[in-house]
Amino acid sequence: MSRKIVFIVSVVFLLLVFVGGALLYQSEKVQRWGKLIGQNQAVLASLHSPSLGPETAKVHIVEFLDPACETCAAFYPQVKKMMAANPDRIRLSVRHLPLHNGSLEVVKILEASRKQGKYWPTLEAVLANQSRWVSNHTARPEMVWEVLGGVGLNLEQLRADMNSPDVARNLEQDRSDAKALNVTMTPEYFVNGRPLPDFGLAQLQALVRDALQTAYR
């Protein structure tokens, strides 16, 4: 009988140790996540980035994008759908990370288009016609000019602005912040400072949905 009691007490003790350890691990995990999110938000709070959506939106998606990236072009309409389904609740900011051969010149075009107030239509034209200027994962920036005709840009001014100091400064800031956040591929998303747990459209949608539920409950 005493052995049985000792056995039961031992089992209960081990269960308490296991539960206590699990709770401690979860608490430490939450604290680590909180610290990571805080650090991310500090780096992601860039005033120079092009943003779409109101500043009052409580859900902020930050995307590191390469215009020559096929997945970036495929995901962009999906992000716009999420924004349309949640009007005034989501803001999108884009950071440029040219990783494909030749895409640096295209990023300069995008940055320069901001000086004419045409960033978003330029980005959409570039992504929608990506197959015309990207071949075998290599950008052909000279072909991009052919898809800009309907945007309403002053192309002569655009060429001059591509090499302006503020364009160079913005690109360097994006590269520096990408390095600080350990972003090595595109597209990479952060939602209210939280990175994707693993890559995929469903994972992005879930992260956005969770952020919306937390912010607007």
Side-chain angles (χ1 to χ4, degrees):
M1 191 69 173
S2 60
R3 288 183 178 179
K4 186 176 182 180
I5 293 173
V6 170
F7 174 77
I8 293 173
V9 170
S10 298
V11 170
V12 171
F13 176 76
L14 289 173
L15 284 173
L16 289 173
V17 169
F18 175 79
V19 171
L23 290 173
L24 179 61
Y25 173 78
Q26 188 65 27
S27 175
E28 290 177 348
K29 184 178 179 180
V30 169
Q31 290 178 0
R32 288 198 304 271
W33 264 104
K35 184 177 180 181
L36 177 62
I37 291 170
Q39 291 172 343
N40 287 350
Q41 287 179 326
V43 177
L44 292 168
S46 174
L47 298 178
H48 81 275
S49 303
S51 292
L52 186 64
E55 292 186 6
T56 55
K58 296 181 181 180
V59 175
H60 187 197
I61 302 174
V62 178
E63 176 184 0
F64 282 86
L65 174 147
D66 183 335
C69 161
E70 292 182 10
T71 308
C72 294
F75 272 46
Y76 180 77
Q78 301 302 320
V79 174
K80 291 291 292 292
K81 285 182 181 179
M82 286 188 277
M83 297 180 72
N86 298 276
D88 299 328
R89 293 187 168 192
I90 300 176
R91 179 163 63 104
L92 169 66
S93 294
V94 171
R95 313 295 300 273
H96 297 124
L97 188 61
L99 299 176
H100 289 69
N101 291 333
S103 63
L104 176 58
E105 290 301 303
V106 185
V107 166
K108 288 181 179 180
I109 290 174
L110 291 173
E111 283 286 345
S113 72
R114 297 172 62 187
K115 293 178 175 291
Q116 299 182 42
K118 298 285 187 179
Y119 175 81
W120 295 104
T122 302
L123 175 64
E124 294 189 4
V126 164
L127 294 180
N129 295 280
Q130 190 186 75
S131 61
R132 294 175 57 181
W133 58 272
V134 176
S135 178
N136 296 321
H137 305 288
T138 298
R140 295 176 294 171
E142 69 279 3
M143 303 293 290
V144 172
W145 298 95
E146 297 180 6
V147 308
L148 299 180
V151 178
L153 289 159
N154 180 329
L155 298 183
E156 183 178 350
Q157 184 63 48
L158 190 70
R159 291 181 186 274
D161 289 337
M162 285 173 59
N163 298 307
S164 64
D166 52 337
V167 165
R169 184 167 55 249
N170 288 348
L171 294 179
E172 180 54 37
Q173 185 66 57
D174 283 348
R175 277 193 291 262
S176 176
D177 289 346
K179 184 177 180 180
L181 292 163
N182 196 33
V183 176
T184 58
M185 60 184 295
T186 59
E188 183 67 84
Y189 295 93
F190 294 82
V191 180
N192 286 356
R194 292 178 60 187
L196 290 178
D198 51 277
F199 185 76
L201 179 58
Q203 291 87 331
L204 175 60
Q205 292 170 332
L207 197 58
V208 172
R209 185 166 56 248
D210 181 64
L212 285 166
Q213 290 173 349
T214 300
Y216 292 99
R217 60 187 173 189

